[in-house]
Amino acid sequence: MGQSQSDERRAPPRDEVTKELADKFAQKCFTSLELYSLKDVFHSLADHEQQVRYLKEDTISRFLEIPDALGASSVLFQMVSYIGAFPFLEDAPAVLGLKEMVMVITLLTDRYQRVLARGAMDRRKLLFGSLAVHDRKMSEMRPNQQGNVPGNTIPKQSQDGKASPVMEQPLGFAIDKAGDDEDPDLDEDDDLVLAAFDSVDCINAFKHTGRSTMHGAMIPVDNWRKLVMLLLLIAPLGAQESLSSYSDRLSGDELEGLGTTADCVLACFLSVEPSPGIRFARFNTVIPASLPLLFNGFTALFEHFLFSKSLDLHKHKDNQPEPSTPPPEKRPPVLADTGSIMNPNILSQISFFIPGSSLFRQLRLLYSGDEDGFSMGSFETKVFNWRAPTILLVSGTRLPDEETHQITGAASSFLASLPSKRFPPGSGDKDERLIFGAYLNPPWKHTHRECFGDEDTLLFQLRPTHDVFRASTLNKDYASFTKPSASAPLGGVSFGCPPPQPTQAYRRSSMMSLGPVSLALDNSFEFGCFTHNYTSQGGAFQTSVARKFDFQERFEVSSIEVWGCGGDEEAKHQAERWAWEAREAEARRKINLGTGDIEADRALLEMAGLIGANRSGGSMG
């Protein structure tokens, strides 16, 4: 006990610890030019109050060009004012001075890992805390009843008697200690905070300071939706690229599509029952499994603070500026080709689990059923020569239930080919649009006795619920491409299904073999079936972490596309392969025996038993 009291007496003031940590972040995580730019930008933007410089909500929003149409400024400001209090998070919201902005930028751009080797997993806890409502009465209200976090500043007397600007205390930061908390991990010591104290040799004095006490904490649904819309918008943002250049996505149908995509992402955080918000247990489960790259857009956004527009690097030593240089070339669009499924919002959604460096301004439309025809032959011609990763997308509408609707024709035949064990659909709206997809690293090829793909293969759903099903390391039935034949009369394209077995009995050859977690398309690309057998084990893809129940989606295909990830080299290789195949096909069409008399050549071939006369071709007997 005496040692503990001694440690507390020796504890340095909090301001001193914060300053020392901010200085360490500044030295280790920023270049000298970035640090100079940050100081210049901060001083050009900061307000003054009692000789204290700080940033307000509207100042940050204007500088980062956060669009008013999203209504996300107050949510973003709540985040940064919480993170600015690091490592003393119980003191949030913080006055956003220079050292607090160093904390914010370091933590939101992942630069902290250069200093803090431990605690990377606890960054999710930090982000959750920055968005959560901590008041139990607020958390029990419906999302549309919850007010925004105010961002005004008012003078307030500090403990040392000096006036300092602080933000009005948001209702969301009032902690209600009563009641049970279903997220016990929140009450444990935060390794990220402890690592920060350890880096400045203060871990003993403040060992329990970083412990969260957020009983009943949750992120309001409405706030989370606004932030997800912002994250979708900034996902393709490049270094020093202006967010205003994406203003075309913020009006009319584009804005509506942005909201629809955000709702699909939001759906994976909510259970079947209505909920006013997202708790940490759900947040901490879904993010690493289905949205590991969700917050990557913050890097390019907050690095705007590290570039000062007033900094001229082209001056001579005699301070004479060089002639003005032309403005940088306009970046190409994030999606060069157009598709009926893929659009900028869908692309941003995919970048939440596939690195954007291989997506934005990199995708090429290889195959489109609408343009190239819904056939496996045209699919093979367009896709098989691509020597880089590919993304398949398929959209459709759910087929009606056979028990309540009379189904005839091709749809009836397709449903009859499915195993008799059926599961209910994954959601209740029978008319909603379904979008599934798959990411493949190796090139496509024909399936014979085994499937192709590797452990990086992904199966995913984008609508109406975002979900990602990662590859298993035990079962490797990742992908198959099988044209109909005598041994495999059904054929088709599938993911997670066992390959066709030529030796199987004919009575089963007309029945599809569906994997526990699988997507199967028939050989005409007219119908598809996604199966999620949660109670089963041993599939090629892991079950959902968000939907822990059995469901199956049987749908009529409306569009199917394949996009190639890669650059000019892959496109050049594919074009060369296409040209070679075209020359070979033309040569086969023109082949003759060299006599110049086509009728004579044909007669000679018939005598040889190669063509005509009801010959099978090739037999000389």
Side-chain angles (χ1 to χ4, degrees):
M1 182 178 295
Q3 181 64 36
S4 175
Q5 293 175 349
S6 176
D7 287 340
E8 292 176 0
R9 285 195 299 269
R10 290 199 300 268
R14 292 193 172 200
D15 287 346
E16 182 179 325
V17 175
T18 302
K19 183 180 184 303
E20 185 176 354
L21 182 60
D23 289 342
K24 192 164 188 176
F25 278 161
Q27 295 170 9
K28 301 290 186 181
C29 302
F30 302 95
T31 65
S32 57
L33 184 59
E34 288 174 336
L35 191 57
Y36 177 88
S37 295
L38 173 59
K39 292 178 180 178
D40 185 66
V41 169
F42 176 82
H43 288 296
S44 68
L45 297 176
D47 282 87
H48 299 260
E49 187 76 40
Q50 300 289 336
Q51 298 183 341
V52 176
R53 293 176 179 267
Y54 61 96
L55 300 183
K56 296 196 299 185
E57 176 185 330
D58 58 346
T59 304
I60 293 177
S61 297
R62 286 197 308 269
F63 177 74
L64 297 179
E65 301 178 320
I66 306 301
D68 295 335
L70 301 183
S73 295
S74 60
V75 181
L76 188 67
F77 188 73
Q78 177 183 338
M79 286 189 67
V80 298
S81 60
Y82 179 91
I83 296 173
F86 186 85
F88 300 102
L89 298 174
E90 64 272 20
D91 294 341
V95 178
L96 295 176
L98 180 60
K99 65 178 183 295
E100 287 77 18
M101 289 305 299
V102 169
M103 299 290 188
V104 170
I105 297 169
T106 303
L107 290 165
L108 285 182
T109 62
D110 270 345
R111 293 169 178 244
Y112 71 92
Q113 298 186 53
R114 303 175 189 178
V115 174
L116 309 180
R118 297 190 291 122
M121 296 298 294
D122 282 307
R123 182 172 178 266
R124 284 197 300 275
K125 186 185 296 185
L126 176 70
L127 293 172
F128 176 84
S130 70
L131 293 164
V133 166
H134 304 243
D135 185 272
R136 183 167 298 279
K137 293 181 180 179
M138 288 290 293
S139 67
E140 291 174 354
M141 295 172 63
R142 292 195 301 270
N144 58 3
Q145 293 177 319
Q146 295 170 0
N148 292 329
V149 178
N152 299 327
T153 60
I154 56 174
K156 181 181 177 180
Q157 290 297 116
S158 61
Q159 293 181 355
D160 58 5
K162 296 181 181 180
S164 62
V166 299
M167 283 158 290
E168 293 178 358
Q169 186 75 0
L171 293 176
F173 284 106
I175 298 176
D176 182 357
K177 295 183 179 180
D180 297 328
D181 196 324
E182 67 179 31
D183 305 324
D185 290 343
L186 283 174
D187 293 331
E188 297 178 357
D189 288 326
D190 191 326
D191 285 345
L192 186 61
V193 173
L194 295 182
F197 288 133
D198 191 23
S199 70
V200 292
D201 297 326
C202 295
I203 191 169
N204 290 330
F206 299 103
K207 186 167 62 173
H208 298 293
T209 300
R211 175 173 291 181
S212 302
T213 56
M214 297 184 294
H215 294 278
M218 64 172 60
I219 302 174
V221 171
D222 188 52
N223 286 3
W224 185 232
R225 184 179 188 271
K226 293 175 182 177
L227 186 68
V228 171
M229 289 180 69
L230 176 62
L231 291 169
L232 287 166
L233 183 67
I234 67 176
L237 199 65
Q240 300 310 320
E241 187 178 11
S242 172
L243 189 55
S244 61
S245 61
Y246 296 97
S247 59
D248 58 333
R249 296 174 61 184
L250 296 172
S251 61
D253 293 340
E254 294 295 329
L255 180 59
E256 183 179 352
L258 188 67
T260 299
T261 305
D263 288 336
C264 296
V265 175
L266 184 65
C268 69
F269 289 93
L270 303 175
S271 59
V272 178
E273 298 80 13
S275 172
I278 296 97
R279 293 188 178 274
F280 179 71
R282 188 78 166 182
F283 185 88
N284 196 41
T285 300
V286 172
I287 292 289
S290 298
L291 300 155
L293 311 178
L294 177 65
F295 298 103
N296 279 17
F298 280 147
T299 297
L301 183 66
F302 280 89
E303 282 183 349
H304 279 74
F305 284 101
L306 306 181
F307 179 79
S308 173
K309 295 181 180 179
S310 63
L311 185 63
D312 190 352
L313 301 179
H314 299 285
K315 288 185 177 181
H316 294 295
K317 291 183 179 179
D318 57 0
N319 292 327
Q320 295 297 321
E322 292 183 352
S324 60
T325 57
E329 295 183 4
K330 187 178 180 180
R331 290 175 179 266
V334 296
L335 194 60
D337 299 319
T338 58
S340 56
I341 305 177
M342 183 74 80
N343 58 48
N345 295 329
I346 293 291
L347 185 59
S348 292
Q349 184 181 357
I350 295 174
S351 75
F352 289 164
F353 56 92
I354 297 176
S357 58
S358 60
L359 300 177
F360 299 117
R361 304 176 179 89
Q362 297 293 321
L363 290 186
R364 299 171 186 269
L365 182 58
L366 304 180
Y367 165 79
S368 169
D370 297 336
E371 300 293 333
D372 304 313
F374 290 84
S375 73
M376 297 188 71
S378 58
F379 185 104
E380 177 185 356
T381 301
K382 295 290 186 177
V383 176
F384 271 42
N385 293 323
W386 188 258
R387 300 304 178 198
T390 53
I391 296 174
L392 177 143
L393 296 176
V394 57
S395 67
T397 54
R398 186 179 291 135
L399 290 171
D401 189 353
E402 305 101 301
E403 296 182 358
T404 57
H405 294 76
Q406 184 177 1
I407 302 176
T408 59
S412 177
S413 299
F414 171 74
L415 293 175
S417 69
L418 301 178
S420 57
K421 186 177 182 180
R422 308 288 175 86
F423 300 122
S427 56
D429 189 353
K430 64 179 181 180
D431 297 323
E432 63 192 351
R433 186 187 184 199
L434 304 171
I435 299 181
F436 295 96
Y439 171 83
L440 273 172
N441 196 36
W444 285 75
K445 63 180 181 179
H446 289 278
T447 304
H448 298 291
R449 294 184 178 274
E450 60 183 20
C451 296
F452 60 96
D454 58 21
E455 295 176 2
D456 293 326
T457 303
L458 295 174
L459 185 60
F460 54 87
Q461 182 176 1
L462 300 179
R463 290 189 180 176
T465 300
H466 178 99
D467 217 335
V468 178
F469 312 92
R470 300 191 176 274
S472 168
T473 57
L474 300 177
N475 186 322
K476 297 186 178 182
D477 295 336
Y478 300 128
S480 68
F481 182 94
T482 308
K483 288 186 173 182
S485 63
S487 59
L490 293 179
V493 175
S494 66
F495 302 88
C497 298
Q501 299 295 329
T503 57
Q504 64 187 163
Y506 179 79
R507 62 183 179 86
R508 296 187 58 193
S509 62
S510 60
M511 187 72 66
M512 284 188 178
S513 297
L514 303 178
V517 179
S518 61
L519 173 66
L521 306 177
D522 68 351
N523 60 70
S524 64
F525 291 164
E526 190 174 1
F527 300 100
C529 178
F530 179 84
T531 302
H532 182 260
N533 188 346
Y534 183 78
T535 58
S536 181
Q537 301 291 330
F541 295 96
Q542 301 173 20
T543 55
S544 170
V545 301
R547 294 179 286 179
K548 299 182 178 182
F549 55 88
D550 300 334
F551 64 91
Q552 188 176 71
E553 302 289 6
R554 302 174 290 278
F555 58 94
E556 182 177 4
V557 174
S558 56
S559 298
I560 181 171
E561 299 171 354
V562 178
W563 294 78
C565 307
D568 295 336
E569 189 64 30
E570 288 79 6
K572 179 182 177 182
H573 183 278
Q574 186 195 45
E576 291 174 349
R577 182 69 181 181
W578 280 348
W580 179 85
E581 289 184 349
R583 291 194 300 269
E584 288 295 305
E586 184 66 18
R588 287 192 295 270
R589 283 195 295 269
K590 293 182 177 180
I591 189 169
N592 56 57
L593 298 181
T595 66
D597 187 339
I598 297 179
E599 291 300 326
D601 291 342
R602 179 176 180 83
L604 187 59
L605 291 172
E606 288 182 352
M607 291 172 58
L610 298 179
I611 64 171
N614 298 322
R615 302 281 182 167
S616 61
S619 174
M620 300 285 292

PDB file of all heavy atoms in Angstrom, residues 15-36:
ATOM      1  N   ASP A  15      -0.839  17.294 -17.616  1.00  0.00           N
ATOM      2  CA  ASP A  15      -0.432  18.119 -18.760  1.00  0.00           C
ATOM      3  C   ASP A  15       0.987  17.806 -19.184  1.00  0.00           C
ATOM      4  O   ASP A  15       1.305  17.799 -20.381  1.00  0.00           O
ATOM      5  CB  ASP A  15      -0.552  19.608 -18.407  1.00  0.00           C
ATOM      6  CG  ASP A  15      -1.994  20.078 -18.344  1.00  0.00           C
ATOM      7  OD1 ASP A  15      -2.866  19.317 -18.836  1.00  0.00           O
ATOM      8  OD2 ASP A  15      -2.254  21.172 -17.829  1.00  0.00           O
ATOM      9  N   GLU A  16       1.834  17.518 -18.203  1.00  0.00           N
ATOM     10  CA  GLU A  16       3.224  17.201 -18.518  1.00  0.00           C
ATOM     11  C   GLU A  16       3.332  15.857 -19.241  1.00  0.00           C
ATOM     12  O   GLU A  16       4.098  15.710 -20.209  1.00  0.00           O
ATOM     13  CB  GLU A  16       4.041  17.169 -17.227  1.00  0.00           C
ATOM     14  CG  GLU A  16       5.518  16.900 -17.447  1.00  0.00           C
ATOM     15  CD  GLU A  16       6.299  16.894 -16.131  1.00  0.00           C
ATOM     16  OE1 GLU A  16       5.938  17.697 -15.230  1.00  0.00           O
ATOM     17  OE2 GLU A  16       7.245  16.080 -16.006  1.00  0.00           O
ATOM     18  N   VAL A  17       2.534  14.873 -18.802  1.00  0.00           N
ATOM     19  CA  VAL A  17       2.535  13.564 -19.462  1.00  0.00           C
ATOM     20  C   VAL A  17       2.007  13.690 -20.889  1.00  0.00           C
ATOM     21  O   VAL A  17       2.580  13.127 -21.838  1.00  0.00           O
ATOM     22  CB  VAL A  17       1.687  12.552 -18.664  1.00  0.00           C
ATOM     23  CG1 VAL A  17       1.578  11.228 -19.415  1.00  0.00           C
ATOM     24  CG2 VAL A  17       2.295  12.322 -17.291  1.00  0.00           C
ATOM     25  N   THR A  18       0.920  14.422 -21.051  1.00  0.00           N
ATOM     26  CA  THR A  18       0.346  14.608 -22.386  1.00  0.00           C
ATOM     27  C   THR A  18       1.318  15.296 -23.314  1.00  0.00           C
ATOM     28  O   THR A  18       1.477  14.908 -24.478  1.00  0.00           O
ATOM     29  CB  THR A  18      -0.958  15.417 -22.294  1.00  0.00           C
ATOM     30  OG1 THR A  18      -1.882  14.734 -21.444  1.00  0.00           O
ATOM     31  CG2 THR A  18      -1.583  15.600 -23.664  1.00  0.00           C
ATOM     32  N   LYS A  19       1.990  16.325 -22.809  1.00  0.00           N
ATOM     33  CA  LYS A  19       2.953  17.044 -23.648  1.00  0.00           C
ATOM     34  C   LYS A  19       4.120  16.145 -24.042  1.00  0.00           C
ATOM     35  O   LYS A  19       4.573  16.146 -25.199  1.00  0.00           O
ATOM     36  CB  LYS A  19       3.470  18.273 -22.914  1.00  0.00           C
ATOM     37  CG  LYS A  19       4.432  19.130 -23.738  1.00  0.00           C
ATOM     38  CD  LYS A  19       4.911  20.334 -22.956  1.00  0.00           C
ATOM     39  CE  LYS A  19       5.799  21.209 -23.849  1.00  0.00           C
ATOM     40  NZ  LYS A  19       6.950  20.479 -24.408  1.00  0.00           N
ATOM     41  N   GLU A  20       4.605  15.343 -23.097  1.00  0.00           N
ATOM     42  CA  GLU A  20       5.729  14.458 -23.400  1.00  0.00           C
ATOM     43  C   GLU A  20       5.337  13.413 -24.439  1.00  0.00           C
ATOM     44  O   GLU A  20       6.109  13.116 -25.365  1.00  0.00           O
ATOM     45  CB  GLU A  20       6.218  13.773 -22.117  1.00  0.00           C
ATOM     46  CG  GLU A  20       7.466  12.916 -22.332  1.00  0.00           C
ATOM     47  CD  GLU A  20       7.991  12.311 -21.041  1.00  0.00           C
ATOM     48  OE1 GLU A  20       7.460  12.652 -19.956  1.00  0.00           O
ATOM     49  OE2 GLU A  20       8.925  11.486 -21.117  1.00  0.00           O
ATOM     50  N   LEU A  21       4.122  12.863 -24.319  1.00  0.00           N
ATOM     51  CA  LEU A  21       3.671  11.870 -25.295  1.00  0.00           C
ATOM     52  C   LEU A  21       3.456  12.518 -26.664  1.00  0.00           C
ATOM     53  O   LEU A  21       3.833  11.944 -27.695  1.00  0.00           O
ATOM     54  CB  LEU A  21       2.372  11.221 -24.812  1.00  0.00           C
ATOM     55  CG  LEU A  21       1.796  10.111 -25.714  1.00  0.00           C
ATOM     56  CD1 LEU A  21       2.781   8.961 -25.862  1.00  0.00           C
ATOM     57  CD2 LEU A  21       0.466   9.601 -25.145  1.00  0.00           C
ATOM     58  N   ALA A  22       2.870  13.721 -26.678  1.00  0.00           N
ATOM     59  CA  ALA A  22       2.661  14.416 -27.952  1.00  0.00           C
ATOM     60  C   ALA A  22       3.995  14.733 -28.620  1.00  0.00           C
ATOM     61  O   ALA A  22       4.131  14.607 -29.849  1.00  0.00           O
ATOM     62  CB  ALA A  22       1.859  15.697 -27.721  1.00  0.00           C
ATOM     63  N   ASP A  23       4.982  15.134 -27.837  1.00  0.00           N
ATOM     64  CA  ASP A  23       6.310  15.413 -28.401  1.00  0.00           C
ATOM     65  C   ASP A  23       6.928  14.153 -28.989  1.00  0.00           C
ATOM     66  O   ASP A  23       7.568  14.197 -30.048  1.00  0.00           O
ATOM     67  CB  ASP A  23       7.233  15.999 -27.324  1.00  0.00           C
ATOM     68  CG  ASP A  23       6.846  17.417 -26.928  1.00  0.00           C
ATOM     69  OD1 ASP A  23       6.110  18.059 -27.703  1.00  0.00           O
ATOM     70  OD2 ASP A  23       7.275  17.871 -25.848  1.00  0.00           O
ATOM     71  N   LYS A  24       6.721  13.032 -28.310  1.00  0.00           N
ATOM     72  CA  LYS A  24       7.278  11.775 -28.816  1.00  0.00           C
ATOM     73  C   LYS A  24       6.590  11.365 -30.104  1.00  0.00           C
ATOM     74  O   LYS A  24       7.241  10.908 -31.062  1.00  0.00           O
ATOM     75  CB  LYS A  24       7.125  10.682 -27.760  1.00  0.00           C
ATOM     76  CG  LYS A  24       7.915   9.423 -28.075  1.00  0.00           C
ATOM     77  CD  LYS A  24       8.060   8.547 -26.847  1.00  0.00           C
ATOM     78  CE  LYS A  24       9.022   7.395 -27.124  1.00  0.00           C
ATOM     79  NZ  LYS A  24       9.253   6.582 -25.903  1.00  0.00           N
ATOM     80  N   PHE A  25       5.267  11.504 -30.149  1.00  0.00           N
ATOM     81  CA  PHE A  25       4.542  11.222 -31.387  1.00  0.00           C
ATOM     82  C   PHE A  25       5.036  12.131 -32.512  1.00  0.00           C
ATOM     83  O   PHE A  25       5.238  11.689 -33.648  1.00  0.00           O
ATOM     84  CB  PHE A  25       3.038  11.442 -31.185  1.00  0.00           C
ATOM     85  CG  PHE A  25       2.327  10.277 -30.533  1.00  0.00           C
ATOM     86  CD1 PHE A  25       1.087  10.448 -29.931  1.00  0.00           C
ATOM     87  CD2 PHE A  25       2.881   9.008 -30.527  1.00  0.00           C
ATOM     88  CE1 PHE A  25       0.427   9.385 -29.340  1.00  0.00           C
ATOM     89  CE2 PHE A  25       2.238   7.937 -29.941  1.00  0.00           C
ATOM     90  CZ  PHE A  25       1.001   8.125 -29.347  1.00  0.00           C
ATOM     91  N   ALA A  26       5.205  13.415 -32.206  1.00  0.00           N
ATOM     92  CA  ALA A  26       5.615  14.374 -33.230  1.00  0.00           C
ATOM     93  C   ALA A  26       6.992  14.033 -33.796  1.00  0.00           C
ATOM     94  O   ALA A  26       7.227  14.126 -35.004  1.00  0.00           O
ATOM     95  CB  ALA A  26       5.614  15.780 -32.643  1.00  0.00           C
ATOM     96  N   GLN A  27       7.908  13.616 -32.933  1.00  0.00           N
ATOM     97  CA  GLN A  27       9.268  13.320 -33.373  1.00  0.00           C
ATOM     98  C   GLN A  27       9.358  12.006 -34.131  1.00  0.00           C
ATOM     99  O   GLN A  27      10.115  11.895 -35.103  1.00  0.00           O
ATOM    100  CB  GLN A  27      10.209  13.278 -32.153  1.00  0.00           C
ATOM    101  CG  GLN A  27      10.358  14.620 -31.450  1.00  0.00           C
ATOM    102  CD  GLN A  27      11.085  14.505 -30.128  1.00  0.00           C
ATOM    103  OE1 GLN A  27      11.631  13.442 -29.791  1.00  0.00           O
ATOM    104  NE2 GLN A  27      11.089  15.577 -29.343  1.00  0.00           N
ATOM    105  N   LYS A  28       8.594  11.018 -33.690  1.00  0.00           N
ATOM    106  CA  LYS A  28       8.715   9.673 -34.263  1.00  0.00           C
ATOM    107  C   LYS A  28       7.747   9.405 -35.419  1.00  0.00           C
ATOM    108  O   LYS A  28       8.022   8.532 -36.247  1.00  0.00           O
ATOM    109  CB  LYS A  28       8.473   8.616 -33.169  1.00  0.00           C
ATOM    110  CG  LYS A  28       9.425   8.697 -31.992  1.00  0.00           C
ATOM    111  CD  LYS A  28      10.838   8.274 -32.374  1.00  0.00           C
ATOM    112  CE  LYS A  28      11.733   8.214 -31.141  1.00  0.00           C
ATOM    113  NZ  LYS A  28      13.116   7.824 -31.493  1.00  0.00           N
ATOM    114  N   CYS A  29       6.632  10.123 -35.475  1.00  0.00           N
ATOM    115  CA  CYS A  29       5.575   9.786 -36.427  1.00  0.00           C
ATOM    116  C   CYS A  29       5.420  10.795 -37.555  1.00  0.00           C
ATOM    117  O   CYS A  29       4.610  10.576 -38.472  1.00  0.00           O
ATOM    118  CB  CYS A  29       4.237   9.650 -35.696  1.00  0.00           C
ATOM    119  SG  CYS A  29       4.240   8.412 -34.386  1.00  0.00           S
ATOM    120  N   PHE A  30       6.155  11.905 -37.514  1.00  0.00           N
ATOM    121  CA  PHE A  30       6.044  12.930 -38.548  1.00  0.00           C
ATOM    122  C   PHE A  30       7.432  13.337 -39.016  1.00  0.00           C
ATOM    123  O   PHE A  30       8.389  13.345 -38.227  1.00  0.00           O
ATOM    124  CB  PHE A  30       5.314  14.173 -38.012  1.00  0.00           C
ATOM    125  CG  PHE A  30       3.941  13.916 -37.486  1.00  0.00           C
ATOM    126  CD1 PHE A  30       3.715  13.686 -36.136  1.00  0.00           C
ATOM    127  CD2 PHE A  30       2.846  13.892 -38.344  1.00  0.00           C
ATOM    128  CE1 PHE A  30       2.451  13.445 -35.644  1.00  0.00           C
ATOM    129  CE2 PHE A  30       1.572  13.647 -37.860  1.00  0.00           C
ATOM    130  CZ  PHE A  30       1.374  13.423 -36.518  1.00  0.00           C
ATOM    131  N   THR A  31       7.530  13.671 -40.279  1.00  0.00           N
ATOM    132  CA  THR A  31       8.772  14.251 -40.776  1.00  0.00           C
ATOM    133  C   THR A  31       8.833  15.717 -40.328  1.00  0.00           C
ATOM    134  O   THR A  31       7.822  16.301 -39.911  1.00  0.00           O
ATOM    135  CB  THR A  31       8.842  14.186 -42.304  1.00  0.00           C
ATOM    136  OG1 THR A  31       7.813  15.023 -42.865  1.00  0.00           O
ATOM    137  CG2 THR A  31       8.643  12.749 -42.797  1.00  0.00           C
ATOM    138  N   SER A  32      10.001  16.309 -40.434  1.00  0.00           N
ATOM    139  CA  SER A  32      10.141  17.702 -40.021  1.00  0.00           C
ATOM    140  C   SER A  32       9.264  18.611 -40.872  1.00  0.00           C
ATOM    141  O   SER A  32       8.693  19.587 -40.367  1.00  0.00           O
ATOM    142  CB  SER A  32      11.610  18.121 -40.119  1.00  0.00           C
ATOM    143  OG  SER A  32      12.101  17.924 -41.436  1.00  0.00           O
ATOM    144  N   LEU A  33       9.118  18.291 -42.141  1.00  0.00           N
ATOM    145  CA  LEU A  33       8.278  19.096 -43.021  1.00  0.00           C
ATOM    146  C   LEU A  33       6.801  18.946 -42.655  1.00  0.00           C
ATOM    147  O   LEU A  33       6.043  19.920 -42.649  1.00  0.00           O
ATOM    148  CB  LEU A  33       8.501  18.682 -44.473  1.00  0.00           C
ATOM    149  CG  LEU A  33       7.757  19.509 -45.540  1.00  0.00           C
ATOM    150  CD1 LEU A  33       8.167  20.971 -45.454  1.00  0.00           C
ATOM    151  CD2 LEU A  33       8.035  18.948 -46.925  1.00  0.00           C
ATOM    152  N   GLU A  34       6.379  17.713 -42.327  1.00  0.00           N
ATOM    153  CA  GLU A  34       4.995  17.491 -41.923  1.00  0.00           C
ATOM    154  C   GLU A  34       4.689  18.220 -40.619  1.00  0.00           C
ATOM    155  O   GLU A  34       3.618  18.819 -40.471  1.00  0.00           O
ATOM    156  CB  GLU A  34       4.730  15.994 -41.762  1.00  0.00           C
ATOM    157  CG  GLU A  34       4.668  15.213 -43.067  1.00  0.00           C
ATOM    158  CD  GLU A  34       4.538  13.721 -42.863  1.00  0.00           C
ATOM    159  OE1 GLU A  34       4.946  13.231 -41.788  1.00  0.00           O
ATOM    160  OE2 GLU A  34       4.037  13.038 -43.774  1.00  0.00           O
ATOM    161  N   LEU A  35       5.622  18.181 -39.695  1.00  0.00           N
ATOM    162  CA  LEU A  35       5.414  18.852 -38.410  1.00  0.00           C
ATOM    163  C   LEU A  35       5.350  20.361 -38.592  1.00  0.00           C
ATOM    164  O   LEU A  35       4.522  21.045 -37.979  1.00  0.00           O
ATOM    165  CB  LEU A  35       6.527  18.464 -37.443  1.00  0.00           C
ATOM    166  CG  LEU A  35       6.320  18.864 -35.980  1.00  0.00           C
ATOM    167  CD1 LEU A  35       5.023  18.267 -35.442  1.00  0.00           C
ATOM    168  CD2 LEU A  35       7.508  18.410 -35.136  1.00  0.00           C
ATOM    169  N   TYR A  36       6.214  20.901 -39.451  1.00  0.00           N
ATOM    170  CA  TYR A  36       6.179  22.333 -39.737  1.00  0.00           C
ATOM    171  C   TYR A  36       4.831  22.710 -40.358  1.00  0.00           C
ATOM    172  O   TYR A  36       4.222  23.723 -39.998  1.00  0.00           O
ATOM    173  CB  TYR A  36       7.327  22.703 -40.679  1.00  0.00           C
ATOM    174  CG  TYR A  36       7.331  24.164 -41.092  1.00  0.00           C
ATOM    175  CD1 TYR A  36       7.989  25.115 -40.325  1.00  0.00           C
ATOM    176  CD2 TYR A  36       6.659  24.579 -42.238  1.00  0.00           C
ATOM    177  CE1 TYR A  36       7.985  26.459 -40.689  1.00  0.00           C
ATOM    178  CE2 TYR A  36       6.638  25.912 -42.613  1.00  0.00           C
ATOM    179  CZ  TYR A  36       7.310  26.843 -41.838  1.00  0.00           C
ATOM    180  OH  TYR A  36       7.295  28.163 -42.204  1.00  0.00           O
TER     181      TYR A  36
END
